[in-house]
Amino acid sequence: MTCNCISETEKKFPGMTFKKKNVISGSIKSVSFQFTNGGINCITHSDVELTVEGFSKLQHTVLMHAYCPFCGKPTTKETEENSNDKTDQP
Ligand SMILES: [Zn+2]
């Protein structure tokens, strides 16, 4: 991620209530790790179930988010650079 939304959001869980009880801590589980030249990048994802020809069971995979679901910023430097290239946006 090019932002701190995952950690900033996790910091907000303590003090919230869930089913009328106080939340002690929380962590966002839909995060994948991408290895880059500079280290490891954490990117949120959506879980996907696929029905695939030749497989009797549903196949599970993840769809990596190109943009942060919290603030809308690109999740990778590549997405950021590609979005800057677009000149046809209103
Ligand atoms: Zn964000």
Side-chain angles (χ1 to χ4, degrees):
M1 307 285 275
T2 56
C3 58
N4 296 322
C5 289
I6 294 172
S7 59
E8 291 301 314
T9 302
E10 288 176 338
K11 285 179 193 171
K12 294 176 185 173
F13 289 126
M16 289 182 172
T17 55
F18 181 78
K19 296 184 178 178
K20 297 181 180 176
K21 300 284 188 182
N22 292 327
V23 173
I24 296 165
S25 67
S27 64
I28 296 169
K29 306 305 288 181
S30 54
V31 175
S32 293
F33 300 97
Q34 179 188 61
F35 294 94
T36 65
N37 291 339
I40 299 171
N41 190 16
C42 301
I43 302 176
T44 55
H45 66 249
S46 294
D47 291 304
V48 177
E49 284 183 343
L50 299 173
T51 303
V52 181
E53 193 177 64
F55 289 88
S56 57
K57 290 183 176 178
L58 288 171
Q59 302 297 301
H60 297 265
T61 188
V62 295
L63 196 61
M64 306 289 274
H65 295 165
Y67 295 89
C68 174
F70 302 103
C71 71
K73 288 182 182 171
T75 54
T76 66
K77 295 283 182 203
E78 290 78 25
T79 304
E80 196 168 39
E81 287 162 10
N82 290 339
S83 65
N84 289 341
D85 291 343
K86 290 178 182 171
T87 55
D88 57 346
Q89 290 189 345

